[in-house]
Amino acid sequence: MRRMTARPANAHQARLLRLLRDGGPNSRAQLGDQVELSRSKLAVEVDRLLETGLVVADGLAASRGGRRSHNIRLAPELRFLGVDIGATSIDVAVTNAELEVLGHLNHPMDVREGPVAVFEQVLSLAAKLRASGLAEGFDGAGIGVPGPVRFPEGVPVAPPIMPGWDGFPVREALSQELGCPVMVDNDVNLMAMGEQHAGVARSVGDYLCVKIGTGIGCGIVVGGEVYRGTTGSAGDIGHIRVDPDGRACACGNKGCLEAHFSGAALARDAEDAAREGRSPELAARLEAAGRLTAADVAAAAAAGDAAALDLIREGGNRLGQVIASLVSFFNPGLVVIGGGVTGLGHNLLASVRTQVYKQSLPLATGNLPIVLGELGPTAGVIGAARLISDHLFSPV
Amino acid sequence: MRRMTARPANAHQARLLRLLRDGGPNSRAQLGDQVELSRSKLAVEVDRLLETGLVVADGLAASRGGRRSHNIRLAPELRFLGVDIGATSIDVAVTNAELEVLGHLNHPMDVREGPVAVFEQVLSLAAKLRASGLAEGFDGAGIGVPGPVRFPEGVPVAPPIMPGWDGFPVREALSQELGCPVMVDNDVNLMAMGEQHAGVARSVGDYLCVKIGTGIGCGIVVGGEVYRGTTGSAGDIGHIRVDPDGRACACGNKGCLEAHFSGAALARDAEDAAREGRSPELAARLEAAGRLTAADVAAAAAAGDAAALDLIREGGNRLGQVIASLVSFFNPGLVVIGGGVTGLGHNLLASVRTQVYKQSLPLATGNLPIVLGELGPTAGVIGAARLISDHLFSPV
DNA sequence: CATCTTTGTCCTGGGTGTGGAGAAAGTCGG
DNA sequence: CCGACTTTCTCCACACCCAGGACAAAGATG
């Protein structure tokens, strides 16, 4: 199949494409209500989009009391590839142009195996999705990596947990391999975009999205746009100090948040608790699996294990302390917590909320929801699809 | 004199006005180089601006190797009023349309006397400036207040140090009294705008501006625009916790940054040191004045007083700790420190830098200047003038 | 003084968008 | 089933805008 080559020629067309992406099929009249264009102008722009093949007619819409309108939708054969490279696993998904996930694969893999090995796996997963008939090719791909990215070039910079990736031309290389446009971003930013597009953060302009996986990061959304900072490292809150005399961190400092609470730290603490006999529940799980993860702690807590609950509470306090500072500084309209430890659920949320509501001033916390992400592992891939669609659905 | 009533009719005119504001008088040809408009279009827009009286012809420009161009400048009789209401004093200044300060008055006054008394004083200072021949009236006024503001309405909300101001319609009231458009914002945000317009922060897109006066606040600039947060309280970093077992703060919590380091805290610490005999220098000053301020500490430190230097170092460490967190989170391209304690100067700067460079990751600190503001007390009033000019120099 | 460069003005032709007229398609009440 | 009203869509004329060329004015250069 011939893939999408056309791009919107002007801001109006880009606007219309995004409306169709976010709102699904729409009648011409409905589109007219959402943009301030004269009927004639709208008709012209829609016709041009139809010519390019980016959108197609899709039957008649329901009547709104008069003549029925023709429905318009994004071309149903458009396909985006969303790739979320985590520290220990890879998520790959295909979406249509409306960013609905049509197929989703996960594969455990250590990012430290390096870009070549990882992308080999990514391409093989993408091929598998293609082979299953979900796509005949991709019109664009978004890639998330677990570290800072020089965004315009799509190149990781000085990523602490990804040795071997520094300066690797991810965008360039994958664009070659896949034969379509590619955009690269930090995985946390993509999660933020995902939750904004299809999750809890719809209709919020300024918000924070804290992702707790192997490490800890924070997506910052300002006015509906991801804020990346001067060098692309904004949101790197894992190394904020929470305890001046705290634990040694891999970064060389002491008392970093990440050293005290993260997927990795939690697993280590849980194993310690198990070995020291403080938690029979965790000890049993350690016995069974040979190692523990955040999921084990979640399960133990759900079973009422006191040590596990303590770990979560303590971690939540630490995290809450940092989030409280960020809330004071940033005054977001929403805080989303997601990532691998979402399983810790409401126990975690409770301690975070306690800290934030206690420490931050009422004006900032007054109407501030602090919630768990609702998309889980699909947030990243949806965000990735959204990233590339934002790029493709922008003028020239 | 008839005051300015006209406003730019479209984005092009607004653009031109801002160029003239920021770049001073300019030839038509130079303007043409800076905007992507055809010569004819540019001529038309400039002619229209001349008609409205917002800009005037101003002689001939130097030749650039051919026919000399006619100079254009903003109407020289335009006047903006910049008002910076601090916790303990009021700054009022008149500027021309290029935001050059033509006259500047300062008057000590406690903001807690309430809006009515304060604005009486502001109006009297403004009248004094008018009487001295610097202005015959004002085309717009910007007001800074030391607390959060609901920006669109120009109304202070829940300001901790300004009892009696909550909900007072500052914008509305002053607009009535002055007979011109008024915009209201947090004083810290105005300082950030001031340093951006005429100070150290020119040409930086994303930066932080930390103001240490009676309290502590932080102006956040994202992509050249001030970020105010969901409820207008963004940048309120005074109550970030720096020490879990720290001092009691007026806000009811313990260990807030502001309780450990701010103009007020520093003065108190200095008085303690003086009374406890730890610092003869400070004791002498306390004896002479009956009380101490941050300026006394600065003077004592300059004279080599060890206790004063200790206070500054300790405060700088605390502040640096918080700034380090914010740098990790926000990844700014510049950090400016200003406000009343700027006199502490390089001693303060040194401890802040030490903390930040030690705690934050290299990618964020790599090319991060941390500097003192260079405008001092005029930053606020220039920022105020800039606020209202941004408003007036925007389309319809 | 001739030539070149820069600047400013005028004008024309093409493109764009607005809004009215009217046809097409449907709903609704009798 | 029919007539009146609504909504949607297309067509078209008119005004406006704007880019860019031609040309005149003003100065630099040698």
Side-chain angles (χ1 to χ4, degrees):
Chain A
M1 169 192 288
R2 239 187 64 254
R3 303 312 312 171
M4 156 181 172
T5 55
R7 290 276 295 277
N10 58 43
H12 298 310
Q13 293 185 14
R15 176 93 193 281
L16 291 171
L17 290 175
R18 289 179 190 211
L19 282 173
L20 291 172
R21 177 193 67 186
D22 301 340
N26 244 302
S27 74
R28 292 160 108 101
Q30 282 175 308
L31 288 175
D33 295 344
Q34 297 173 71
V35 295
E36 49 327 297
L37 291 174
S38 66
R39 293 187 308 286
S40 1
K41 171 97 178 124
L42 177 65
V44 170
E45 296 296 359
V46 170
D47 284 348
R48 286 189 192 147
L49 285 175
L50 284 167
E51 266 175 42
T52 66
L54 282 172
V55 307
V56 298
D58 184 38
L60 290 171
S63 166
R64 294 198 294 181
R67 173 176 174 175
R68 293 171 64 190
S69 184
H70 293 276
N71 257 343
I72 297 293
R73 62 175 301 177
L74 289 168
E77 69 275 14
L78 288 176
R79 291 292 179 270
F80 296 134
L81 185 70
V83 178
D84 187 357
I85 297 170
T88 57
S89 80
I90 299 173
D91 280 276
V92 177
V94 201
T95 76
N96 60 13
E98 280 141 17
L99 310 191
E100 291 163 347
V101 174
L102 306 177
H104 185 169
L105 295 174
N106 176 283
H107 189 86
M109 178 160 202
D110 194 319
V111 71
R112 286 172 296 186
E113 295 190 26
V116 176
V118 167
F119 287 136
E120 209 166 287
Q121 186 59 243
V122 166
L123 291 172
S124 127
L125 291 169
K128 203 174 292 179
L129 287 168
R130 240 194 340 245
S132 66
L134 295 172
E136 305 188 18
F138 302 108
D139 301 284
I143 319 286
V145 297
V149 170
R150 207 174 325 122
F151 186 70
E153 295 90 14
V155 173
V157 276
I161 68 168
M162 303 157 64
W165 287 72
D166 192 7
F168 187 87
V170 173
R171 181 178 182 177
E172 184 66 24
L174 273 182
S175 184
Q176 286 278 327
E177 292 288 342
L178 291 167
C180 67
V182 170
M183 294 288 281
V184 184
D185 202 349
N186 184 309
D187 61 338
V188 185
N189 292 341
L190 294 190
M191 173 177 162
M193 294 180 79
E195 289 288 350
Q196 189 188 14
H197 181 84
V200 281
R202 276 171 297 229
S203 79
V204 183
D206 307 314
Y207 86 101
L208 296 180
C209 183
V210 179
K211 179 175 181 179
I212 304 155
T214 304
I216 291 193
C218 176
I220 307 170
V221 175
V222 173
E225 302 269 312
V226 170
Y227 170 80
R228 299 185 172 86
T230 301
T231 57
S233 80
D236 202 342
I237 63 173
H239 301 280
I240 287 180
R241 179 175 293 185
V242 291
D243 184 346
D245 310 309
R247 298 186 190 168
C249 175
C251 76
N253 275 315
K254 285 200 303 184
C256 294
L257 173 60
E258 216 168 276
H260 286 270
F261 184 62
S262 65
L266 194 62
R268 210 171 45 237
D269 287 346
E271 289 176 9
D272 286 351
R275 274 193 282 269
E276 291 167 14
R278 297 202 309 273
S279 163
E281 185 80 29
L282 288 172
R285 293 178 163 272
L286 178 58
E287 183 75 21
R291 49 192 283 275
L292 292 176
T293 69
D296 293 307
V297 180
D305 183 88
L309 284 169
D310 269 355
L311 286 178
I312 296 175
R313 190 174 318 119
E314 173 126 352
N317 283 340
R318 288 259 151 76
L319 178 63
Q321 217 172 303
V322 169
I323 294 183
S325 301
L326 300 184
V327 164
S328 295
F329 173 74
F330 185 72
N331 186 20
L334 170 69
V335 174
V336 177
I337 296 178
V341 302
T342 315
L344 306 179
H346 293 277
N347 290 313
L348 176 66
L349 216 47
S351 13
V352 170
R353 283 183 178 146
T354 305
Q355 289 295 321
V356 173
Y357 293 142
K358 196 167 75 184
Q359 280 188 40
S360 298
L361 294 182
L363 183 56
T365 56
N367 206 337
L368 175 67
I370 302 178
V371 300
L372 294 175
E374 67 181 27
L375 299 180
T378 59
V381 290
I382 292 179
R386 158 105 187 214
L387 175 70
I388 188 64
S389 80
D390 268 349
H391 174 71
L392 294 176
F393 293 169
S394 58
V396 271
Chain B
M1 171 192 285
R2 242 188 60 254
R3 304 312 313 172
M4 156 183 173
T5 54
R7 291 276 296 277
N10 58 45
H12 298 310
Q13 294 185 12
R15 176 93 193 280
L16 291 171
L17 291 175
R18 289 178 190 212
L19 282 173
L20 292 172
R21 177 193 66 185
D22 300 340
N26 243 303
S27 73
R28 291 162 109 100
Q30 282 176 307
L31 287 175
D33 295 343
Q34 297 173 69
V35 294
E36 51 322 302
L37 291 175
S38 65
R39 290 190 309 287
S40 12
K41 170 99 179 121
L42 176 65
V44 169
E45 297 296 358
V46 169
D47 285 347
R48 285 187 193 151
L49 285 175
L50 285 167
E51 267 175 43
T52 66
L54 282 172
V55 307
V56 298
D58 185 39
L60 290 171
S63 166
R64 294 199 293 181
R67 173 177 175 174
R68 294 171 65 192
S69 184
H70 293 276
N71 257 342
I72 296 293
R73 61 177 301 179
L74 289 167
E77 70 274 14
L78 287 177
R79 291 293 177 272
F80 295 135
L81 185 70
V83 178
D84 188 356
I85 297 170
T88 59
S89 78
I90 300 173
D91 280 277
V92 177
V94 202
T95 76
N96 59 14
E98 280 141 15
L99 309 193
E100 292 163 347
V101 175
L102 306 178
H104 185 169
L105 295 173
N106 177 283
H107 188 86
M109 181 160 198
D110 194 320
V111 71
R112 285 171 297 185
E113 294 190 26
V116 176
V118 167
F119 286 137
E120 210 166 285
Q121 187 58 244
V122 166
L123 291 172
S124 129
L125 291 169
K128 203 175 290 179
L129 288 166
R130 236 188 351 238
S132 66
L134 295 173
E136 305 187 18
F138 301 108
D139 301 284
I143 320 286
V145 296
V149 170
R150 209 176 320 123
F151 186 71
E153 295 90 14
V155 173
V157 277
I161 68 166
M162 305 159 63
W165 287 73
D166 192 7
F168 186 86
V170 173
R171 180 178 183 177
E172 184 65 24
L174 273 181
S175 184
Q176 286 278 327
E177 292 288 342
L178 290 167
C180 66
V182 169
M183 295 289 280
V184 184
D185 202 348
N186 185 309
D187 62 337
V188 185
N189 291 342
L190 294 190
M191 173 177 163
M193 294 180 80
E195 290 288 350
Q196 190 189 13
H197 181 83
V200 281
R202 276 172 297 230
S203 79
V204 183
D206 307 314
Y207 85 100
L208 296 180
C209 183
V210 179
K211 179 175 182 180
I212 304 155
T214 303
I216 293 193
C218 176
I220 307 169
V221 175
V222 174
E225 302 268 312
V226 170
Y227 170 78
R228 299 187 173 85
T230 301
T231 57
S233 80
D236 203 342
I237 63 172
H239 300 280
I240 288 180
R241 179 174 291 184
V242 291
D243 184 347
D245 311 308
R247 299 185 190 168
C249 175
C251 75
N253 275 315
K254 285 199 305 184
C256 294
L257 173 61
E258 214 167 277
H260 286 270
F261 184 62
S262 66
L266 194 62
R268 209 170 47 238
D269 287 346
E271 290 178 8
D272 287 351
R275 274 194 283 270
E276 290 168 16
R278 298 200 310 273
S279 162
E281 185 80 29
L282 288 171
R285 294 179 161 270
L286 179 58
E287 182 75 22
R291 48 191 284 276
L292 292 176
T293 69
D296 293 306
V297 181
D305 183 88
L309 285 168
D310 270 356
L311 287 179
I312 296 175
R313 189 173 318 119
E314 173 125 350
N317 283 340
R318 289 260 151 75
L319 179 62
Q321 217 173 303
V322 169
I323 294 183
S325 301
L326 301 185
V327 164
S328 294
F329 173 74
F330 185 72
N331 186 20
L334 170 69
V335 175
V336 177
I337 297 179
V341 302
T342 315
L344 305 178
H346 293 277
N347 290 313
L348 176 66
L349 217 47
S351 7
V352 170
R353 283 184 179 143
T354 306
Q355 289 294 321
V356 173
Y357 294 142
K358 195 167 77 185
Q359 280 189 39
S360 298
L361 293 182
L363 183 56
T365 58
N367 206 338
L368 175 66
I370 302 178
V371 300
L372 295 175
E374 68 183 23
L375 298 180
T378 59
V381 290
I382 292 178
R386 159 104 188 216
L387 175 70
I388 188 64
S389 80
D390 268 350
H391 175 71
L392 293 176
F393 293 169
S394 58
V396 269

